[in-house]
Amino acid sequence: MNAARCRPAVACRHGGGWQFSGTTQASVRASRSRGRRPTRGFTLLELLIAVTLMSVLALMSWRALDALIDARERITRAGDELRALVVAFAQIEEDLRRSWPVRLLDTGRGPVALVESPGGRDTTTGGQLDLIREAPAVAGFAPMGLAAGDPSRASGLQRVVWRLEGGRLERGFVLWWPGSPDALADTALGTRSTVDATTWQPLVERVDAISWRLYRPGQGWLPPGQRMDGPGDSVTGVELSLIRGGERLVRVFSIRD
């Protein structure tokens, strides 16, 4: 009886619950369908904008990464060059310190001197630093029995020359004894001498020019190119001026212990 009183589009109570007519159920489904947004994909314009933005971001990231790699390479190169300079300065200081006791020996020359560059091979205005120092580990060069008959090993001395060659600061060393041939003078004359046995170590690259100055108590710093008169055992200081990449570096070394 309740079902008979229900209108077509109205809900009525039937039994323990509500019952909707067929027209009402269709209206509910239609309203639910109208409340949902239709599913659709991206348009071509939206895709082009997204691709453009991704390309810009990728280009910016690549430039930042390239700048980072370039900066790291410059820092590494600068670190290597600074380390080479530190090693060279430490070696010069060691050579000069080892030359100080030689002044007490009768070698016929001063332990520290400046010499002209044979043949004008480099651009330095102060020549080459030529010094006599104690040879390291002399006993290791030859057995004791042979060292007694070999003046180069029995003297326990070593000749060291610092020069600029082909844009490189080089250190040459060879065993030396009083009366041994003058390697640099023989080289200028084109003759064979102890320079053939000289070992050269390139220590600093890309050097434009170097100059040396010697310090003598009572006279002060001798200008570059000026040669000393008298024994060289009175030299107590050496100044190295090095030009590299347009930058001038000056280092002063003390010879005394």
Side-chain angles (χ1 to χ4, degrees), residues 3 36 85 96 101 123 130 157 173 211 220 248:
R36 296 176 181 176
L85 285 172
L96 293 172
T123 60
D130 187 354
L157 300 177
F173 61 93
S211 63
R248 182 186 182 91

Side-chain angles (χ1 to χ4, degrees), residues 2 18 33 39 49 52 56 58 151 170-171 201 203 211-212 241:
N2 294 333
W18 293 89
S33 299
T39 303
I49 294 175
T52 303
V56 172
E170 296 183 341
R171 175 182 183 266
Q201 298 174 317
L203 295 179
S211 63
W212 304 90
S241 178

Side-chain angles (χ1 to χ4, degrees), residues 88-103 109 111-114 129-134 158 160-162 171 212-215 221 232 235-240 251-257:
F89 290 161
Q91 185 62 63
I92 295 174
E93 187 173 13
E94 174 69 12
D95 291 338
L96 293 172
R97 187 174 64 87
R98 292 287 185 177
S99 70
W100 181 248
V102 179
R103 77 190 191 283
R109 56 155 288 179
V112 179
L114 292 179
L129 182 65
D130 187 354
L131 57 91
I132 305 298
R133 55 158 288 175
E134 296 175 330
Q158 187 181 60
V160 177
V161 177
W162 287 87
R171 175 182 183 266
W212 304 90
R213 290 199 305 171
L214 302 182
Y215 181 84
W221 291 104
V235 175
T236 59
V238 175
E239 179 191 82
L240 168 62
R251 178 70 183 269
V252 177
F253 304 92
S254 176
I255 300 178
R256 292 180 177 178
D257 291 336

Side-chain angles (χ1 to χ4, degrees), residues 5-41:
R5 290 200 301 267
C6 291
R7 295 179 182 179
V10 180
C12 60
R13 189 176 184 84
H14 178 71
W18 293 89
Q19 181 178 6
F20 293 89
S21 64
T23 305
T24 303
Q25 294 178 356
S27 300
V28 171
R29 287 195 296 268
S31 62
R32 290 178 179 178
S33 299
R34 287 194 300 270
R36 296 176 181 176
R37 305 182 73 177
T39 303
R40 62 185 182 86

Side-chain angles (χ1 to χ4, degrees), residues 145-214:
L146 295 179
D150 190 342
S152 65
R153 292 176 172 84
S155 66
L157 300 177
Q158 187 181 60
R159 184 179 186 181
V160 177
V161 177
W162 287 87
R163 71 179 186 183
L164 181 64
E165 181 72 16
R168 297 186 303 270
L169 180 62
E170 296 183 341
R171 175 182 183 266
F173 61 93
V174 66
L175 292 175
W176 184 89
W177 65 96
S180 62
D182 188 344
L184 294 179
D186 291 346
T187 302
L189 297 176
T191 60
R192 181 181 179 87
S193 67
T194 55
V195 74
D196 298 329
T198 302
T199 301
W200 293 98
Q201 298 174 317
L203 295 179
V204 182
E205 301 285 342
R206 299 192 303 125
V207 178
D208 300 325
I210 62 173
S211 63
W212 304 90
R213 290 199 305 171
L214 302 182

